[in-house]
Amino acid sequence: MFDVQQPKQKIFAIANQKGGVGKTTTTLNLAAAIAEAGFKVLVMDLDPQGNASTGLGSHADARAFTTYDVLIGTQVEPRFIQKTDIENIDLVPSTTDLSSADIELASAKNRSEMLRKVLSNSDLSKYDYILLDCPPSLNVLTVNALIAAHALIIPLQSEFFALEGLSQLLMSVREVRDLGNPDLRIEGVVLTMYDARNRLSLQVEEDARENLGELIFKTVIPRNVRISEAPSFAMPVLSYDSRSKGAEAYRALAQEILARR
């Protein structure tokens, strides 16, 4: 248990327009680490692929209501929320139906602010943290998440073109601030799939810290077979192998975030 005071509710968007960077993995395991610390977490899956939903044990045929219903509704109704097998974590799941949201919302008035309005109109006060798992693109779903969020967490894969893709996302953050969320802050950038034995990982970390300074979390998430295996068992790595290096890394990341509250 972390020695921190009970925070006011925080809404985090976990986003990167590049796929395969560990975005959903970070959402799941950060949620699990925060929940393990005794805080109540709601995960909202905004990715039509629904990987976060599957990773929290939600079966596709059991998803009667999804984040699609949230976006087209007026509030997050209790029936939209699923309990998970992980203590302190609830879920609003996703299905491929959400993939049509880009088209359907394109002509909607204030389409970028729909999620924020729904959340502000909902009684979610029992949750200390709401984590928004975004799709790997800068589409209307991701923009909705950024408009609704207090802060952004960016997973950054330790590879050659990582920083190049990051610049586009940082430009989008500036646009979102102009668009309607001037208080959106970048909580931090977390290096994922990090291999300290690999010269490239070390170079990416050096470049990232040189260019972004304190925006880079001290914690790095290692390449770890347990992190890779856990989703196939529909659970975060903290549940799958609590003592693994991957689990310990996500606990350390959660501690960094919780300490800031």
Side-chain angles (χ1 to χ4, degrees):
M1 183 73 69
F2 302 129
D3 184 19
V4 294
Q5 293 181 340
Q6 187 78 356
K8 294 182 179 180
Q9 186 184 83
K10 287 291 179 180
I11 303 174
F12 289 140
I14 293 85
N16 191 325
Q17 79 277 11
K18 189 176 184 302
V21 300
K23 175 186 57 61
T24 296
T25 298
T26 295
T27 301
L28 296 177
N29 290 295
L30 182 57
I34 293 173
E36 186 179 74
F39 299 106
K40 190 75 173 175
V41 182
L42 177 64
V43 174
M44 298 190 69
D45 191 349
L46 290 169
D47 187 344
Q49 297 178 80
N51 291 333
S53 304
T54 302
L56 287 174
S58 173
H59 298 288
D61 56 4
R63 300 172 198 170
F65 300 99
T66 70
T67 44
Y68 178 81
D69 297 289
V70 171
L71 285 168
I72 64 172
T74 57
Q75 60 181 329
V76 182
E77 300 179 28
R79 60 181 177 156
F80 296 169
I81 300 173
Q82 290 186 1
K83 297 289 184 183
T84 73
D85 291 334
I86 303 169
E87 186 178 5
N88 290 331
I89 298 182
D90 289 342
L91 167 71
V92 181
S94 168
T95 64
T96 53
D97 290 346
L98 196 59
S99 61
S100 64
D102 264 330
I103 299 173
E104 293 186 25
L105 300 180
S107 59
K109 185 178 180 181
N110 299 322
R111 61 185 179 273
S112 299
E113 300 181 4
M114 297 178 75
L115 181 59
R116 179 169 66 179
K117 289 182 177 179
V118 170
L119 293 180
S120 65
N121 196 40
S122 304
D123 182 9
L124 300 173
S125 57
K126 70 177 181 178
Y127 298 106
D128 302 302
Y129 290 87
I130 298 175
L131 303 188
L132 308 175
D133 185 44
C134 301
S137 62
L138 293 173
N139 61 11
V140 69
L141 296 171
T142 301
V143 172
N144 262 269
L146 296 178
I147 291 287
H150 298 126
L152 169 65
I153 295 172
I154 306 171
L156 185 71
Q157 187 177 1
S158 302
E159 65 169 23
F160 185 70
F161 291 113
L163 290 177
E164 197 170 283
L166 181 61
S167 62
Q168 183 182 356
L169 182 58
L170 296 180
M171 288 178 61
S172 297
V173 170
R174 289 194 287 270
E175 292 173 2
V176 166
R177 287 171 178 158
D178 293 337
L179 189 62
N181 189 2
D183 297 324
L184 177 67
R185 57 172 291 179
I186 300 175
E187 186 74 10
V189 177
V190 55
L191 293 172
T192 61
M193 306 178 195
Y194 184 87
D195 186 350
R197 301 166 299 178
N198 186 319
R199 187 182 185 90
L200 179 58
S201 286
L202 297 174
Q203 186 62 55
V204 170
E205 180 182 17
E206 181 180 335
D207 290 348
R209 295 193 188 280
E210 181 178 333
N211 284 280
L212 298 172
E214 293 184 357
L215 278 182
I216 305 294
F217 286 110
K218 294 177 182 178
T219 302
V220 297
I221 307 301
R223 282 195 178 276
N224 180 254
V225 66
R226 295 305 198 189
I227 293 178
S228 301
E229 290 174 348
S232 64
F233 291 89
M235 60 180 68
V237 71
L238 280 83
S239 301
Y240 177 64
D241 188 346
S242 181
R243 297 184 179 181
S244 66
K245 289 183 179 179
E248 291 299 336
Y250 276 110
R251 286 191 184 97
L253 177 62
Q255 186 172 18
E256 275 195 70
I257 293 171
L258 291 172
R260 295 178 182 183
R261 303 277 72 81

